Amino acid sequence: MNAPPRPAKTEPVPLTTLVARADAHPAHGDLDGVVTGATLRAQHVRRGDLFAALPGARVHGADFADEAVSAGAVAILTDRTGAGLLADADVPVLVHKDPRGVLGSIAAWIYGEPSLRLSVLGVTGTSGKTTTTYMLDAGLRAAGHTTGLVGTVETRIAGERLASAFTTPEAPDLQALFAVMVEKGVTHVPMEVSSHALSLGRVSGTRFSVGAFTNLSQDHLDFHRDMEDYFQAKALLFDGRSTSEVVNTDGEWGSRLVKADTVTVATEHGADWTAADITSSIDGEQTFTILGPGVRVPVRLPMPGTFNVANALLAAACLTVAGVEPGAIATGLGQVQVPGRMERIALGQPFTAVVDYSHKPAAVALALDAIRARTTGRVIVVLGCGGDRDAAKRPLMGREAATRSDLLIVTDDNPRSEDPAAIRRAMVDGATAAAVRGDVREIGDRRAAILAAVAEAKPGDAVVVAGKGHETGQEIAGVVHPFSDRDELSAAIREVTL
């Protein structure tokens, strides 16, 4: 993993200040020093850093303290267990009962609390986070603002693109990233905020000008105990850390977040923001009118699906709260492009070809409903499920895909450390139990599955390759192999039809 960006300059922060503000206590060592950076990865330590030695599932960060100190770490933050392992450390050891939870705030202090000098617009929810942040970015840029972007597909700083390792970076990396954005003249930062980030304190120390909620459906139940636990993690974005709160209330989960001053968005029932006169073209473009308090603006959206109307409404409400005028909102939404999200591959073939990141049951259903609504022929779907993730959603994804396709080809996604055949079997079981429209086939090799889908396609059909979206690798048995659904679908179309 490449080292994340750091600001060119930081003001040294006395250790005594960090100890006092974080309510930590020194286990041993002299507190006369200062720190100029922070990280929780020993391989990314720079001279002058605070190294966070956190407890992990398999090892303790304290095991890497010698490496961190050799690289220039001047102090260590850890828990009581870590302090016991660091009794002979050559640098001061700071102990906190919840070092992970406080690390974000400590990193923010070290980097000058950069989120206070930015307008950070955080988006959480199960589906739509990436699309909504791209819509926010497009609207902000149309209004003339210099933007950053933090999310699943990429991190962007004033137009410069960086690859993303996590939907939301680790706490010290995020605060350093914000500080770099401030140095680069960024004013506004749309960012995805995952449930993991909220639960693990990655956004602690971040002040959001706007917090937004898209929706909630089954996902990440390998990490959260149940749906209520998952929801409570999402709800942390609305615990006072966001100056303004904007919530989609189409579902019951969103309605639970509404307070007296919450800005509400809905496509299915009354809210502060809603849409009217929705029309769709055969190529997936939609037109509608956004209606909000004192706002009536016609919009052309180059993306299909009612769920994208909901995402656009959420973005429009957030942008208005951020001070963007309706004209710029319409311009931004008309220009938005989201890699791997209902992305059409158009090479002159006589059928529709789409790549989509949908990798949870509800997202699969919404995407295929949108495709079905504008397809005159058959819907052919290629879909897999990732390994080492929520296993309960596998038969559900198979069911949702099978009931909405004329041909479902179950294939591999990122099996990671699991047996690919077992993952496919769970999907096929769900698909065959529910299939009422068409056939279900199993082709483990994803490249072969995509080629088979394209070979089946006739004029007027739609081929949907779902699950990986923008990803450029496939992880099998711990090894990431180059693989792009967009490239493979394009290659298959050229081979079969052109």
Side-chain angles (χ1 to χ4, degrees):
M1 183 183 296
N2 294 329
R6 296 274 194 107
K9 182 180 179 181
T10 58
E11 293 296 326
V13 178
L15 279 172
T16 52
T17 299
L18 293 184
V19 168
R21 295 187 68 175
D23 193 27
H25 71 271
H28 66 264
D30 190 345
L31 297 183
D32 289 342
V34 297
V35 296
T36 54
T39 183
L40 51 68
R41 296 186 180 91
Q43 68 268 33
H44 293 164
V45 166
R46 297 188 184 183
R47 190 162 300 281
D49 274 0
L50 171 74
F51 173 60
L54 306 180
R58 298 181 180 87
V59 297
H60 199 288
D63 295 335
F64 304 96
D66 287 345
E67 178 185 349
V69 173
S70 295
V74 296
I76 299 171
L77 172 72
T78 191
D79 59 1
R80 290 188 180 277
T81 300
L85 297 171
L86 297 170
D88 298 325
D90 295 329
V91 298
V93 176
L94 314 181
V95 179
H96 193 279
K97 62 182 179 181
D98 182 17
R100 184 180 293 277
V102 78
L103 179 57
S105 295
I106 288 177
W109 301 330
I110 292 172
Y111 292 114
E113 299 191 84
S115 67
L116 299 181
R117 291 177 282 168
L118 299 164
S119 179
V120 182
L121 297 82
V123 182
T124 197
T126 303
S127 300
K129 295 189 297 298
T130 298
T131 297
T132 303
T133 55
Y134 271 78
M135 290 175 171
L136 291 171
D137 181 71
L140 289 163
R141 287 188 289 108
H145 296 296
T146 302
T147 63
L149 183 72
V150 182
T152 305
V153 176
E154 63 183 349
T155 295
R156 195 187 303 155
I157 307 173
E160 179 185 358
R161 288 176 168 83
L162 308 172
S164 290
F166 298 102
T167 298
T168 312
E170 295 284 6
D173 299 342
L174 179 62
Q175 298 303 323
L177 178 63
F178 286 153
V180 172
M181 290 180 177
V182 171
E183 287 185 341
K184 299 289 187 180
V186 168
T187 58
H188 293 70
V189 185
M191 69 173 292
E192 298 179 50
V193 185
S194 67
S195 60
H196 290 68
L198 288 158
S199 298
L200 298 174
R202 291 180 191 162
V203 290
S204 297
T206 299
R207 184 65 192 176
F208 295 91
S209 61
V210 181
F213 177 83
T214 59
N215 51 61
L216 198 79
S217 62
Q218 182 173 332
D219 199 18
H220 301 306
L221 295 189
D222 54 325
F223 180 80
H224 299 286
R225 292 189 305 273
D226 50 32
M227 287 297 293
E228 181 63 26
D229 184 57
Y230 182 32
F231 170 73
Q232 291 300 331
K234 297 290 190 184
L236 291 172
L237 185 60
F238 308 93
D239 64 359
R241 72 186 75 198
S242 300
T243 302
S244 299
E245 300 176 357
V246 184
V247 172
N248 183 321
T249 58
D250 278 332
E252 61 174 317
W253 299 105
S255 299
R256 290 176 57 182
L257 294 172
V258 175
K259 306 167 190 169
D261 56 354
T262 301
V263 177
T264 57
V265 168
T267 58
E268 296 180 357
H269 53 79
D272 299 326
W273 290 80
T274 190
D277 308 320
I278 302 172
T279 63
S280 301
S281 66
I282 192 66
D283 64 359
E285 181 176 286
Q286 299 184 92
T287 60
F288 53 95
T289 301
I290 292 178
L291 305 175
V295 175
R296 183 182 182 92
V297 57
V299 169
R300 176 188 64 83
L301 184 67
M303 303 179 73
T306 303
F307 59 95
N308 276 321
V309 174
N311 292 333
L313 283 171
L314 189 68
C318 292
L319 288 166
T320 301
V321 169
V324 176
E325 295 296 323
I329 294 173
T331 298
L333 291 176
Q335 298 172 342
V336 69
Q337 294 182 330
V338 188
R341 271 64 176 177
M342 299 297 281
E343 183 176 356
R344 186 171 180 179
I345 307 297
L347 301 177
Q349 77 277 7
F351 55 87
T352 298
V354 173
V355 170
D356 190 61
Y357 188 55
S358 47
H359 58 284
K360 58 212 72 166
V364 169
L366 288 169
L368 295 184
D369 283 343
I371 296 294
R372 172 66 63 186
R374 59 187 178 93
T375 299
T376 57
R378 299 179 303 158
V379 174
I380 302 168
V381 178
V382 177
L383 180 67
C385 283
D388 300 335
R389 298 295 187 268
D390 181 6
K393 70 181 183 182
R394 295 168 187 171
L396 302 179
M397 287 176 64
R399 182 190 69 191
E400 299 294 357
T403 56
R404 290 166 170 82
S405 62
D406 299 282
L407 169 61
L408 168 63
I409 301 177
V410 174
T411 189
D412 293 342
D413 189 288
N414 293 309
R416 299 184 176 90
S417 70
E418 287 195 60
D419 175 9
I423 298 173
R424 296 195 303 270
R425 191 178 309 116
M427 293 186 66
V428 169
D429 287 347
T432 54
V436 295
R437 184 182 292 277
D439 298 330
V440 177
R441 300 181 193 171
E442 181 180 349
I443 302 176
D445 183 291
R446 193 173 181 90
R447 181 175 288 109
I450 293 171
L451 184 61
V454 171
E456 286 282 347
K458 303 294 189 295
D461 289 350
V463 173
V464 183
V465 180
K468 290 177 63 61
H470 65 282
E471 293 178 359
T472 57
Q474 185 179 30
E475 184 177 346
I476 304 171
V479 178
V480 178
H481 304 268
F483 196 98
S484 164
D485 279 355
R486 291 179 287 182
D487 291 348
E488 294 299 336
L489 182 54
S490 298
I493 291 170
R494 292 190 182 97
E495 179 176 338
V496 172
T497 67
L498 301 182

